[in-house]
Structures are given as structure tokens and as C-alpha cells.
Amino acid sequence: RLDKLLEKEIILICQLAAALLEENPLSVKKAATIQRISDKTLRRLIASRSNESAFFNCHITTGKIRSTDFKALLKNQPAFIADLLHKSQNLALLILCMKQPVLTFPMLGNATYMSTATLHRRFVSFAQFLSPYLIAIDRRTYPFVKGNERQIRFLLFKLTTFLLPSLYDSPSRLYQHFFDIHTLRQQAIYPSASCITVEEIRPRCFVPDYYLTTDTAYLFLWKQLLAQETFFVPPHDATLISRIVDSVLQNHVDQPLADSLSQIYQIHLVCALLEGNIFVFQPALLSLSETTVQLIQSFLLQLPHYEKLLKKHPELPLLYECIWHKQSIFQPMLTIKKHTT
């Protein structure tokens, strides 16, 4: 529910960029229909400064919208998203509250130039965005972000990395950023609280117990997930998953089968460990590959508790698509389809 967090103009620009990646040039009428707005509103949006970006700019000629540098948008999607989201006051406000959880309404008002009434309205909307992540905002005395610390730290990590696309070029810096978020939250108000509580992990069978013993073990898991340490699939799980997917992937995946098996296992682990959409910023994908469809069917028939995992995370098919297209599941994307110009 990014519409509950980001300003409407930012959402519309993102949708327009995704549409142009599918069809360039794109008729104004079709683009307006896709976004459920009037032609006039769309034209006003394109004429506004919100459309200005080093990575994305478009204009209208003879009733069609054209991206002036389509290749730049295609190659620099994370940078474009960062450039656009830096314009969001709402995102900056939520991140500030998650980083400094004891700021009062007057302090936030001074920092954001918003009235207390405006802040309250924003936080009501934010609560709807945060709810699927099991996170809430208590507004009784000051806006206090509360919930499972594992969830808060993951979401803060995702939201802040949207603004720092260069991190994706360096796994070590990406993990360091995750560690910094972990430490910041721990020092801010939860010096003795654990972020690895097990009550909300479901289905539990996908997460090995040894990752949930201490914060050190949990951080080691993230070192593995963010490519700082080698990820080893437990032998029993490796045998089971290999037996299920071998026939599906053998002739369809352009990478070593062992790598794909490891990534599939990691995806299942992350989905069991965390609540809410793993992407946060949902990729635009109009159709699933035959490989993904076959894989899901095989898992539903043969992998215990998989149906519960798929119900919890409907974005699982897109996570598999990231493997086939060699994309990180932690990287924001507008689209994961391959395009040619």
C-alpha cells in the first residue's frame, strides 16, 4: 500500500515510468486509463517539476508520451527510484520517526514545517502502510513506531536503501548498512530487546533454529543473505528441494543448478521470517514465466507447508523471477522483464 505512504504525484510518476518500459511511445489516453486519472491530470503531471530527473524525463507529442532517454531509465532504475523518492516528504518523515523514536510532535513539526494536525493525518495514513508488517504508530503522546523489532529493522533497511542505490554495487556496504540500522534501533530505545523473537515466524519449518539463538546468529544470517558469507543449505532441505525442482530447472535456468537451489531456499527462509511484502516497492510484471508456474505447482504438490508460505507471501512468484533474471530480492525495481530497443 505505497499509496498510503508516498505522495500521489510520486506514485503516478513511478507508474508512468513502468508503463513506458512496456510501451514507448505510449498514448496519453492509454496511460491515463492505466493510472485511472484524466488526460488533463496526466498532462499536468508531466508538465510539473515532479517529472524532472537525471534518469527519466518524458514529453507529449501528437497525443503520445515519449521517454527522452529510454536506455538511461532501463539501465538506472534504482537510481531513478532514489531520485524520485528523495522528493517524498512522507518517506522522510517516516524514516525520521523510525530512526529517532522519541521525537515529539512539536519537534517533528519544526523539522518538517508541518502542523500537529497535519502530522496526525500523515501518521494515520502511515499506519495503513505499516500494518501488513505488524508495525503500528502510537500517537497518544508522541508518534512512537512500535512492533516486532525484526520487522521494524527490516523495513527501515529497505526504505533507506531505496535512497542509496550505490549500496547495491557493494555487498559489504549493503550489509554494513543493515548492521548500522540494527545497531541504531538497538541503541535508540531497545538496548535489551531482541529482534529475533520466534512467536511470529510462520511457517516455522523454513527457518533453522540456530539463526534465532542470539543477535549475533541473526546478523550472521543477514551476512549470508547479503552475500558477505557463503550460504549453506541444510542437507535434508537441499535433498528435498533438489528432488522437487531438478526436473523444472534443469533446462530452463541459465546458471548452475546449485546456485538456484540455494537462492530458492533463501527466499523461502526470508518469507517465513518476515511479514509483509518482501519487495516493499512492488515490481511491475504483467506475466509469469513458465518456469515459475511449473515450480509453484511442484512445490504445492510436494513441499510441506508451502501453501501456507504462498498465502502469506503472494509475491513469491516474483521472487523466483528475480532468480531467473539474476536480480537481488532486496533491490528495488520498476520491472524485471527484459526489454530491447
Side-chain angles (χ1 to χ4, degrees), residues 31-44:
T33 300
I34 291 172
Q35 301 193 60
R36 299 180 181 178
I37 57 178
S38 67
D39 290 11
K40 185 177 180 180
T41 298
L42 181 61
R43 289 176 182 275
R44 185 166 58 246

Side-chain angles (χ1 to χ4, degrees), residues 118-332:
T118 298
L119 288 170
H120 274 284
R121 287 195 298 271
R122 299 288 173 96
F123 288 126
V124 168
S125 184
F126 293 172
Q128 297 177 60
F129 167 72
L130 295 171
S131 178
Y133 298 95
L134 303 184
I135 302 172
I137 300 181
D138 187 339
R139 298 180 290 118
R140 286 175 294 182
T141 54
Y142 55 89
F144 178 64
V145 178
K146 64 179 184 178
N148 187 308
E149 269 299 298
R150 185 178 64 247
Q151 294 294 131
I152 294 175
R153 295 176 197 192
F154 168 72
L155 186 58
L156 182 55
F157 166 72
K158 286 287 291 188
L159 293 176
T160 50
T161 50
F162 285 144
L163 305 175
L164 301 166
S166 63
L167 292 179
Y168 298 110
D169 297 327
S170 172
S172 61
R173 289 182 61 205
L174 191 59
Y175 171 74
Q176 184 62 47
H177 184 63
F178 181 86
F179 179 81
D180 290 344
I181 293 294
H182 178 88
T183 304
L184 182 150
R185 285 290 303 182
Q186 194 171 50
Q187 294 176 345
I189 201 168
Y190 297 105
S192 61
S194 173
C195 70
I196 57 171
T197 53
V198 300
E199 293 81 8
E200 294 157 354
I201 294 176
R202 56 188 177 91
R204 178 64 186 273
C205 60
F206 290 101
V207 184
D209 289 339
Y210 50 81
Y211 288 130
L212 304 170
T213 54
T214 63
D215 277 15
T216 299
Y218 183 68
L219 286 171
F220 183 73
L221 167 62
W222 281 92
K223 274 190 174 181
Q224 293 179 311
L225 293 173
L226 298 174
Q228 280 298 281
E229 295 284 350
T230 303
F231 194 99
F232 294 101
V233 181
H236 173 268
D237 296 287
T239 301
L240 176 61
I241 295 176
S242 179
R243 187 177 72 243
I244 296 172
V245 306
D246 184 69
S247 60
V248 176
L249 301 186
Q250 197 69 49
N251 300 316
H252 296 279
V253 179
D254 184 24
Q255 60 180 301
L257 187 60
D259 291 346
S260 298
L261 291 173
S262 176
Q263 289 174 299
I264 289 170
Y265 181 82
Q266 290 179 52
I267 284 174
H268 292 176
L269 190 160
V270 168
C271 286
L273 185 69
L274 298 168
E275 303 289 333
N277 195 318
I278 300 302
F279 285 110
V280 180
F281 198 105
Q282 184 78 2
L285 185 68
L286 299 182
S287 60
L288 297 176
S289 65
E290 182 182 347
T291 301
T292 294
V293 173
Q294 292 178 358
L295 188 63
I296 292 171
Q297 291 172 342
S298 297
F299 280 144
L300 284 171
L301 290 172
Q302 302 177 64
L303 186 62
H305 306 289
Y306 183 77
E307 186 175 359
K308 295 178 182 178
L309 193 68
L310 183 60
K311 185 176 180 180
K312 178 185 176 184
H313 286 283
E315 73 275 16
L316 254 176
L318 298 185
L319 294 170
Y320 297 143
E321 290 291 339
C322 285
I323 298 176
W324 321 146
H325 295 289
K326 300 180 181 179
Q327 297 275 11
S328 167
I329 66 172
F330 301 110
Q331 183 171 343

Side-chain angles (χ1 to χ4, degrees), residues 84-124:
L84 189 59
L85 295 190
H86 271 293
K87 298 180 172 70
S88 173
Q89 287 184 314
N90 288 352
L91 180 60
L93 175 61
L94 179 58
I95 288 174
L96 180 61
C97 289
M98 296 174 79
K99 284 185 173 182
Q100 302 183 44
V102 293
L103 293 178
T104 64
F105 278 103
M107 293 168 68
L108 284 172
N110 290 334
T112 61
Y113 302 101
M114 297 181 190
S115 68
T116 299
T118 298
L119 288 170
H120 274 284
R121 287 195 298 271
R122 299 288 173 96
F123 288 126
V124 168

